[in-house]
Amino acid sequence: MPKIKTNSGSKKRFALTGTGKIKRKHAYKSHILTKKTKKQKRNLTHIGLVAAADQKRVKALLVL
């Protein structure tokens, strides 16, 4: 049986922490930044974690 490939888009968007949680970046931080406040942009900079409800789906894409 062939090996299952990792989803390339997911590989670029998600990363694992040492404890096995999945890190992600916030949306809305790539363009049209002039109308967003400094506070909004600063808060979008911080790394988030994938919600518990979505972890199973993301792990399937990452083939873990």
Side-chain angles (χ1 to χ4, degrees):
M1 188 121 185
K3 292 182 180 179
I4 299 170
K5 291 186 178 180
T6 299
N7 182 284
S8 295
S10 300
K11 181 170 48 177
K12 295 165 191 171
R13 287 174 172 84
F14 301 107
L16 279 179
T17 63
T19 56
K21 294 175 185 169
I22 304 169
K23 294 190 295 187
R24 64 170 179 83
K25 290 186 179 177
H26 285 278
Y28 308 110
K29 184 89 197 319
S30 58
H31 60 90
I32 315 174
L33 297 173
T34 51
K35 60 175 76 171
K36 293 174 185 134
T37 63
K38 287 178 189 171
K39 181 179 180 181
Q40 194 176 359
K41 289 183 277 191
R42 184 173 63 242
N43 289 335
L44 290 172
T45 299
H46 304 303
I47 299 293
L49 292 173
V50 171
D54 298 322
Q55 278 188 351
K56 188 177 177 182
R57 269 191 302 188
V58 174
K59 282 187 176 181
L61 291 171
L62 294 172
V63 189
L64 299 174

